[in-house]
Structures are given as C-alpha cells and as structure tokens.
C-alpha cells in the first residue's frame, strides 16, 4: 500500500514536470507560428531594419528598428546607472557594512525588488517625469532617460543580490592573503575580491539587464511611446515590450499588425534567451 | 629582527586561547612552535601580524615588541607591520591571477609610482624560492594551474617581493607530500640567512630537522622554549617530554 502511494506521488510529480515543459514548448510554438506568419507579407530584413512603424496606415509599415533602438537606449541607460551603483552596493553589503546595518540594507533591497513595476511607473510618472521636464527644460518629461532611471531601480536588486553572492563565494583565504601582504581593505576589495568574482559579477549584470529588457509596465508609462528613431536620451521612445502591450488589444486578429506583434515577441524572446544563456555561462564558468 | 613577547593573553570571546605567553625569537633563526592541535599555535602566530584583528570578539593583553615597537598598540600601523612581517598559510593561497601578478601584488600596493623594476623583482623573488627556471616562460599563466608545492613556493615568493624581515609560516607543508616537504624545508634553511622565520608545525620531526629554536605549547600556555636540540634531548618539563616521546599523538 505504501509502495503504491509512493508510486502515485512519484508519477504525479513527473507529470507536473512534464506539463511545465510541455506548456513552455506550446507557448513557444504558438509564438513562432503566429510570428512567422508575418513574413508572408514583409521581408525579414524589412521588418528588423525598417525605420517606420505605422501599423495602421494603409498599407501598414512594419519596421521595428525604432523599437529595437528604443529598447536598447532605455536598457543601456538603465545599465549605465544601475551597474556601478549595484556593484558598489554589493561591495558595501558584503564587505563594509556593520552586520546590523547589513541586514537592514538587504531587507531594503528585497523590498525594492518587491515593488510592482506598475507602482514604480506610477511613482516615476508623478515625481521623476515632471522633474526631468523642468531640469532639462524640455517639452515633455516622458523620455528615454526617465525610463532608464526607473528601470535602473528594477535592475538594482538583481545586480546587488547576485553580485553579493559572488563576493561571498570568493574563498576567505584570498582576502587573508592580501591583507597579510599589507594591502588595505579597499585594495583587497578591488585587486582581489572583484577580479576573483568577476564571472559572478558579469552574470549579475546580465541578469539585471535581462530584467530591464523584458520590463513593460513602467516603460510604457514613462517613456512617451513615440515610435521614432531616438537621437538622444531626452526624447520619447517606444520599446519592443511597450509596443506589444499597447497594441495587442487593438490589432485585428489575423492581420499583418497582429502577426507583427508576435514577431516582435520572438525578437524579445531571442534577446532574453541570449542574455540568460550568457549569464548562465558566466555563473557556471570554472574559476580562471 | 627580534620579537619579544611579554605576558601575552588572548581571548576569543570568553575562551582564553593564549595564557601568559612569554618568549623571544632571535634574528635570522628558524624557530619552530610545536604542540598538539588546538593548543594555540596558529593564534600565537597570527598575533605577530595582527591577523586576529579580522576575527570578531578577539581581545588581547600584554606586549609584543618588534623593532622596539609594541605592535599590539591600537595605533600601530598595520600596513607597515604586515609589510615587515609576512605570512605563509597552511593551504597555499595564490590569488586567481597570473604568476607574475601574484608576485608583484605586494610591490604594487606598497609603491604607487614606479612601475619599472617589477620584472627584476619577479625574477629575484622566484629565484629565491627556486621557481624561476621552472616558471620563467609561463609567468602569464594562472597561478591556480600550478602544483600544490609550486603554489606554496609562489606564496613565499609573493612575500619575499615585499622585502619583509620576518616570515611566519603556519604549517606550510601540511598539504604537501614528503618530498615536497623536504624541499620546502631546504628552502627555509636557505632563507634563514636573510629572514627571521617562525614556523608552526605539529610535525615534531619537521621541527627537529629544520629549526634552530623550538617552543612547545599546550592548552594555550608556552610550556618551554630553547635551543631545538636541548628541547628534544633534555626537555625540562615533564609535559614536553611526554609530547616529544609521542604520548599526545
Ligand atoms: N575564530 C575563533 N573563534 C573561537 N575560538 C577559536 C577561533 N580560532 C581558534 N579558536 C580556538 O582557539 C584554540 C587555539 O586554536 P589554534 O590557534 O588554531 O590552534 P592550533 O593552531 O595550535 O591548532 C582552539 O581551541 C580553537 O578552538
Ligand atoms: Mg593551526
């Protein structure tokens, strides 16, 4: 009887595992099927490098270059802000902060990670956006820069917690060795600890960026959503994600526009997949 | 450089690991500190370069004079002290950098400006530990690719590069095979012409073979110290005699 119970439970777990793989495969196939249908109407080059995204004009123009560049710009901006701050924060938590303060900081970072992106977007909209408009004296504060800043807040928790783990995984003996040679605490950190954990830090950065690229709600609320090729950080942009979220509701099922949004989904999927694989490679890389 | 230890006590929290230790170490000699595991040998060694400072809750009283300075003074400059008093650890711990970068790690952090002369330092340091001929063509390779013995030698070279006066060695051969141990001991005898060496070991034969002076510790106390041959042939204390005749294992 007990054996039978074990058997049933084992099989149930197996079934759950298989189901999740099955669903992922199903989603991917669906995405692929709907996305690829687009290329009956538009060439792949024209789609990826076309400079105009006018999905409801007649005939529709479905070039996603402005969207790709919008995503890249917002993401790079967020990376430039969040990487140095995130790594510095991780160093501080892992190496400098007194233990009580350390716990408070970690809790704070976790809290930051728990803020729903729509709330961050909302806060950005009422605080950051008017401020940027005023400080830079530009017609609208809904810009790539605003998006970058808010997204930096989202990437930060990922970067901090993974980089922090990377620091903890550096053998204590390295630190002792450096200090015993007369290195100061700071020299030990940047000459030994950071190089020794570089693969973990890179993984942290990649996963942080991955989070930013896939983010939708906040960017949709504060980047202005103008599908034009961006020239500076101070102008509205539209990202790949925001495009799908904003237009899927109104696209006629089976239209070119509809298929194009799925194709945008494929592009996003490929980018995130690539980033995750790279991060994984760094995380599991053998030390030197 | 002489080291004088006077009435040294050390506590890890409530636990007293060193009890009224008095001993002096003479210049350009190898002094071995022996005793059963857990008796406080490493703790004593780590007093001399203040590595115990890294451990929370450590309290020290007494006086340790190096170069006429009490290094236990809270105002002592640890960078200067550690430059003067280098340490080799039980497990070889080269940095995950190239062989070259391991050796110049110390010189680079201690002199901000001159970048020249580094090649000479690398050659001199590796020659001192008899690694130069083996490694001169692979200086850019990762130090982690070396054998254990080579790693330990590299760690000694890394110390020599900062020109210390005193070398502290905490069971430097415990991870090595007998032949490698033999060669490291030979190296120590070579190095004692230029450095004051204190070696911790729980291997009595190693102490008897390679040291000039020996101190025996038990349960945090320094039982007796003196010339190695005297300690091993005419121990004054019964406990020393028991230990060297193998009764503590
Ligand atoms: N960080 C520490 N915290 C608390 N007790 C310690 C610590 N390090 C060592 N001890 C204790 O101090 C004593 C001496 O340790 P140690 O100096 O490492 O001995 P040995 O090197 O002779 O084997 C041991 O009883 C050990 O348990
Ligand atoms: Mg020990």
């Amino acid at each position: 009887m007990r054996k039978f119970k074990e058997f049933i439970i084992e099989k149930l777990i197996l079934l759950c595992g298989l189901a999740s793989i099955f669903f992922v495969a199903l989603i991917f196939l669906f995405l692929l099927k709907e996305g690829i249908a687009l290329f009956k109407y538009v060439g792949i080059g024209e789609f990826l490098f076309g400079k105009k995204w006018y999905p409801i004009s007649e005939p529709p123009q479905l070039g996603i270059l402005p969207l790709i560049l919008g995503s890249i710009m917002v993401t790079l901006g967020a990376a430039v802000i969040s990487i140095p701050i995130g790594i510095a924060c991780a160093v501080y938590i892992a190496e400098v902060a007194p233990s009580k303060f350390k716990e408070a900081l970690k809790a704070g970072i976790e809290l930051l990670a728990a803020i729903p992106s729509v709330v961050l977007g909302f806060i950005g909209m009422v605080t950051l956006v008017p401020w940027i408009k005023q400080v830079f004296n530009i017609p609208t504060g809904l810009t790539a820069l605003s998006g970058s800043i808010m997204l930096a807040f989202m990437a930060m928790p990922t970067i901090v917690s993974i980089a922090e783990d990377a620091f903890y995984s550096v053998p204590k003996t390295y630190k002792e060795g450096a200090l015993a040679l007369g290195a100061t605490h700071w020299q030990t950190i940047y000459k030994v600890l950071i190089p020794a954990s570089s693969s973990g830090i890179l993984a942290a950065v990649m996963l942080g960026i991955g989070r930013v690229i896939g983010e939708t709600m906040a960017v949709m609320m504060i980047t202005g959503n103008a599908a034009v090729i961006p020239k500076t950080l101070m102008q509205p942009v539209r990202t790949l994600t925001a495009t799908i979220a904003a237009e899927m509701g109104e696209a006629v099922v089976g239209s070119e526009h509809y298929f194009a949004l799925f194709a945008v989904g494929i592009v996003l999927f490929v980018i995130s997949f690539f980033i995750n694989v790279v991060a994984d490679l760094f995380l599991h890389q053998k030390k030197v | 450089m002489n080291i004088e230890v006077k009435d040294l006590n050390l506590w890890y929290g409530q636990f007293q690991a060193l009890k009224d230790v008095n001993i002096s170490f003479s210049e350009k000699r190898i002094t071995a500190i022996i005793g059963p595991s857990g008796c406080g040998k490493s703790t004593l060694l780590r007093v001399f370069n203040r590595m115990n400072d890294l451990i929370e809750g450590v309290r020290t009283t007494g006086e340790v004079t190096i170069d006429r300075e009490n290094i236990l003074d809270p105002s002592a400059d640890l960078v200067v002290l550690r430059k003067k008093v280098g340490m080799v650890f039980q497990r070889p711990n080269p940095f995950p950098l190239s062989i070259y970068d391991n050796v110049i790690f110390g010189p680079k952090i201690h002199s901000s400006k001159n970048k020249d002369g580094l090649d000479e330092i690398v050659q001199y340091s590796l020659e001192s530990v008899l690694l130069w001929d083996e490694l001169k063509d692979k200086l850019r390779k990762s130090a982690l690719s070396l054998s254990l013995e080579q790693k330990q030698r590299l760690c000694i070279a890394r110390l020599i590069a900062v020109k210390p006066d005193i070398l502290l060695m905490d069971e430097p051969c415990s991870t090595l095979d007998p032949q490698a141990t033999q060669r490291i001991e030979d190296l120590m005898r070579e190095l004692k012409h230029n450095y004051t060496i204190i070696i911790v070991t729980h291997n009595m034969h190693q102490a008897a073979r390679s040291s000039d002076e020996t101190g025996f510790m038990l349960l945090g106390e320094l039982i007796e110290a003196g010339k190695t041959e005297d300690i091993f042939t005419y121990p004054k204390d019964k406990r020393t005699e028991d230990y060297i005749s193998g009764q503590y294992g």
Side-chain angles (χ1 to χ4, degrees):
Chain A
M1 187 61 203
R2 179 170 296 155
K3 271 236 175 84
F4 182 67
K5 235 180 179 171
E6 289 278 309
F7 177 81
I8 294 287
I9 292 175
E10 239 168 62
K11 293 301 165 209
L12 271 176
I13 293 173
L14 178 69
L15 205 65
C16 293
L18 287 179
S20 63
I21 295 174
F22 177 70
F23 286 130
V24 169
L26 215 58
I27 290 172
F28 182 65
L29 279 180
F30 184 66
L31 189 64
L32 215 56
K33 173 177 152 283
E34 299 290 84
I36 285 177
L38 172 74
F39 301 116
K40 283 194 297 239
Y41 310 99
V42 191
I44 217 169
E46 198 184 330
F47 172 67
L48 286 176
F49 304 111
K51 295 193 179 99
K52 294 206 171 98
W53 176 259
Y54 297 139
I56 42 181
S57 65
E58 202 48 60
Q61 303 216 33
L62 300 168
I64 60 166
L65 190 62
L67 314 180
I68 292 179
L69 292 178
S71 274
I72 290 179
M73 188 172 251
V74 172
T75 304
L76 279 185
V80 166
I81 300 168
S82 60
I83 292 171
I85 299 180
I87 292 177
C89 190
V91 167
Y92 184 76
I93 292 179
E95 277 298 312
V96 188
S99 52
K100 260 189 203 153
F101 192 48
K102 181 191 288 193
E103 291 313 310
L105 260 178
K106 282 171 89 164
I109 301 277
E110 262 157 42
L111 212 60
L112 187 58
I115 299 177
S117 95
V118 65
V119 174
L120 266 184
F122 173 68
I123 294 174
M125 207 148 89
V126 296
T127 57
L128 182 66
V129 167
W131 184 78
I132 283 191
K133 174 175 150 107
Q134 201 184 20
V135 168
F136 295 100
N137 194 18
I138 42 180
T140 171
L142 297 167
T143 60
L145 180 65
S146 323
S148 293
I149 294 176
M150 287 327 280
L151 285 187
F153 280 109
M154 291 191 192
M156 213 103 76
T158 309
I159 296 179
V160 173
S161 59
I162 295 176
E164 193 198 334
D165 285 345
F167 287 134
Y168 285 131
S169 69
V170 175
K172 280 241 167 347
T173 55
Y174 291 167
K175 189 177 163 184
E176 284 194 329
L179 290 172
L181 281 169
T184 62
H185 192 176
W186 169 236
Q187 285 169 330
T188 305
I189 291 171
Y190 84 87
K191 293 203 144 173
V192 177
L193 236 44
I194 292 183
S197 53
S198 57
S199 66
I201 293 176
L202 281 172
V205 164
M206 292 310 278
L207 290 174
I209 290 178
R211 174 120 206 255
V212 167
I213 280 214
E215 167 49 35
T216 308
M217 213 52 217
V219 273
M220 195 155 83
M221 291 165 81
I222 57 178
T223 54
N225 291 321
V228 289
I229 291 188
K231 294 197 180 59
T232 73
L233 272 172
M234 300 303 169
Q235 73 189 70
V237 295
R238 156 177 280 201
T239 64
L240 293 165
T241 49
T243 306
I244 299 178
E247 298 177 7
M248 196 48 108
E250 39 197 75
V252 180
V253 177
S255 67
E256 287 169 48
H257 185 195
Y258 173 86
F259 293 133
L261 292 178
F262 275 96
V264 169
I266 294 177
V267 171
L268 265 174
F269 180 84
V270 168
I271 295 175
S272 322
F273 184 73
F274 174 77
I275 288 178
N276 277 301
V277 166
V278 172
D280 220 48
L281 283 182
F282 282 131
L283 269 183
H284 296 119
Q285 188 185 49
K286 279 244 157 39
K287 289 271 149 61
V288 191
Chain B
M1 200 161 302
N2 284 316
I3 306 181
E4 297 287 339
V5 180
K6 251 177 74 186
D7 303 331
L8 178 67
N9 288 285
L10 184 143
W11 289 264
Y12 291 113
Q14 296 298 312
F15 175 74
Q16 184 165 10
L18 295 178
K19 298 171 186 160
D20 271 323
V21 173
N22 286 281
I23 186 175
S24 69
F25 300 89
S26 24
E27 199 166 339
K28 312 238 159 104
R29 287 277 179 283
I30 300 178
T31 306
I33 299 181
I34 58 171
S37 182
C39 68
K41 305 180 296 292
S42 300
T43 304
L44 178 63
L45 205 63
R46 290 163 62 96
V47 167
F48 302 141
N49 65 349
R50 296 265 305 261
M51 284 305 270
N52 289 319
D53 286 23
L54 296 182
I55 301 165
E56 236 167 286
V58 169
R59 193 162 60 84
T60 321
T61 65
E63 216 178 83
V64 175
T65 326
I66 298 179
D67 219 4
R68 265 173 261 107
E69 230 184 303
N70 178 14
I71 60 150
L72 296 185
D73 195 321
S75 68
D77 184 339
L78 291 188
V79 171
V80 173
L81 172 67
R82 288 170 183 168
K83 198 170 164 234
K84 203 153 57 187
V85 185
M87 179 170 237
V88 178
F89 295 83
Q90 194 164 353
R91 299 208 109 262
N93 61 346
F95 303 126
L97 306 170
S98 70
I99 293 164
Y100 188 93
D101 287 332
N102 263 278
V103 180
I104 62 168
F105 186 89
K108 265 174 103 173
I109 58 178
H110 290 302
S111 72
S112 47
K113 289 171 237 75
N114 67 26
K115 289 271 180 283
D116 35 72
L118 289 180
D119 291 351
E120 286 74 26
I121 292 178
V122 170
Q123 178 165 0
Y124 169 79
S125 309
L126 290 178
E127 274 170 354
S128 312
V129 297
L130 312 176
L131 271 183
W132 176 251
D133 291 327
E134 268 166 79
L135 298 184
K136 62 173 184 260
D137 300 320
K138 341 181 183 163
L139 294 176
R140 294 291 161 194
K141 280 187 71 177
S142 167
L144 301 190
S145 65
L146 299 175
S147 73
L148 267 179
E149 183 193 352
Q150 287 175 322
K151 281 182 186 166
Q152 197 60 300
R153 283 174 186 267
L154 178 64
C155 289
I156 300 173
R158 185 172 75 176
L159 284 187
I160 287 173
V162 299
K163 303 195 173 74
D165 298 308
I166 297 165
L167 299 182
L168 309 174
M169 301 189 168
D170 192 348
E171 311 206 17
C173 304
S174 64
T175 59
L176 305 182
D177 60 55
Q179 285 87 33
T181 301
Q182 181 68 55
R183 289 191 293 266
I184 296 276
E185 284 171 12
D186 292 343
L187 172 63
M188 278 166 39
R189 273 188 286 275
E190 201 58 46
L191 292 173
K192 95 174 172 187
H193 301 299
N194 297 310
Y195 306 93
T196 303
I197 299 177
I198 306 177
I199 176 175
V200 158
T201 174
H202 63 237
N203 176 343
M204 274 179 296
H205 305 291
Q206 179 168 55
R209 275 193 309 259
S210 54
S211 68
D212 303 303
E213 282 159 43
T214 297
F216 169 61
M217 292 184 71
L218 191 64
L219 297 173
E221 282 179 78
L222 186 88
I223 305 299
E224 71 175 290
K227 278 204 176 1
T228 298
E229 37 197 85
D230 296 346
I231 297 278
F232 279 92
T233 42
Y234 311 109
K236 293 197 199 78
D237 196 290
K238 178 80 172 61
R239 290 167 291 181
T240 315
E241 196 183 327
D242 288 349
Y243 182 70
I244 58 179
S245 62
Q247 301 203 0
Y248 290 85

